[in-house]
Structures are given as structure tokens and as C-alpha cells.
Amino acid sequence: LVVVPASGVSQADEGATDSHPGLLDRVQAYIDERKPLGTRVSCEMVPLTDVNIETTLGIRPGAAPGLVNERATERLRQFFNPIDGGAAGTGQDFGSVVTTYDIAGLLYSLDDVTRVTDVRLMFQDGVVRTSITAPEGGLLMLNRCTVTIQGARS
């Protein structure tokens, strides 16, 4: 049994299992009480890989930069949610791939965004990549997200 967190839990900030002390033990105990005799069930936390994103957005004249920034950050966090994120909103696939084009399209679809001029995807090592792949059987989790808003052009 693979345990997937209901919301993004950054390993860099909290640690997947440290953020829920005893979670795997509680899940295992719950399953053990209900499984058929002779059945073995092993619980483990899904491997989570932290992703950092930096992006720059252009906005429409009269748009509120703070609101656009908030919506962009929320959209990115929702996209990386393991349960109801992903492109279809039905959760991420294990071992999924995310590209700069995926992120640019996601952000460009926001109201008041007129340009996505820069998308930088990085693991914890800080090396910029055009795509990031979760390990086999693992999921990508958004760790750090920096959205820069450029003023509207006339």
C-alpha cells in the first residue's frame, strides 16, 4: 500500500514522513485490523521529488499584480497536488513528466495574463531544466514557487 499525502508536503521543508509522525504506523495498524487472515500488507510513503519553479508573467493593463501573482501561485500548487492535480485535475501519474511548456500553458490560461516570458524548472540542485521527470513510482511536489509580475504594456 502506497500512502500519498492529500496535499503537497515538501520533503525539503518538512519531510514526507516527518510531517505526519507515526502516519505509516497508524495506517498499517488500521489495515492490519481489517485485512483477511493470512494476508500481508506493507505500507510505504510514496517517493516525493521537490520541484522549484521561477516564472515571469506579463499582465493586462489595469490588472492587480498581487492578485495575479496569488492566482498563479495557487494554480501551480494545485497542478502539483498529488490527489486532484495534474493536467486533467484527477491527480498526478506516478513517474509523470512536467515541461516548461506545460507550466507556461497553465499560467497563460489565467485571466489577466498576457505573456509568460520565463519558466525555470529546477530540482534542489538549482540546475534549470526544460522538463522534470518524477522517479518511477514517485510524484513531483512543488517546493518553492517564485512568480514575478511585469507591469502591463500599453
Side-chain angles (χ1 to χ4, degrees):
L1 175 67
V2 177
V3 178
V4 177
S7 63
V9 175
S10 170
Q11 288 182 334
D13 291 341
E14 303 174 44
T17 56
D18 293 342
S19 65
H20 298 96
L23 174 63
L24 291 180
D25 292 336
R26 290 192 309 272
V27 171
Q28 186 72 56
Y30 181 87
I31 297 296
D32 286 345
E33 291 174 5
R34 290 158 179 80
K35 69 181 181 184
L37 288 174
T39 302
R40 290 178 41 175
V41 177
S42 174
C43 294
E44 61 184 68
M45 187 64 82
V46 67
L48 303 173
T49 300
D50 286 328
V51 176
N52 296 325
I53 296 178
E54 296 175 359
T55 186
T56 303
L57 306 177
I59 59 174
R60 286 185 171 70
L67 184 59
V68 174
N69 188 308
E70 185 178 307
R71 287 182 181 156
T73 300
E74 179 57 31
R75 177 71 59 93
L76 289 170
R77 294 220 177 275
Q78 178 60 38
F79 180 78
F80 282 94
N81 184 295
I83 304 299
D84 57 4
T90 56
Q92 287 187 44
D93 294 328
F94 293 107
S96 63
V97 177
V98 174
T99 69
T100 55
Y101 298 106
D102 296 329
I103 300 303
L106 186 73
L107 295 171
Y108 192 72
S109 70
L110 291 170
D111 290 340
D112 295 325
V113 172
T114 58
R115 296 179 318 282
V116 180
T117 58
D118 188 30
V119 175
R120 298 165 49 99
L121 297 174
M122 297 162 279
F123 287 122
Q124 293 301 91
D125 62 9
V127 175
V128 177
R129 294 168 169 81
T130 57
S131 67
I132 290 184
T133 305
E136 185 176 331
L139 297 172
L140 298 172
M141 301 299 290
L142 185 59
N143 178 38
R144 186 175 48 82
C145 175
T146 305
V147 178
T148 302
I149 304 293
Q150 292 180 336
R153 293 184 179 167
S154 300

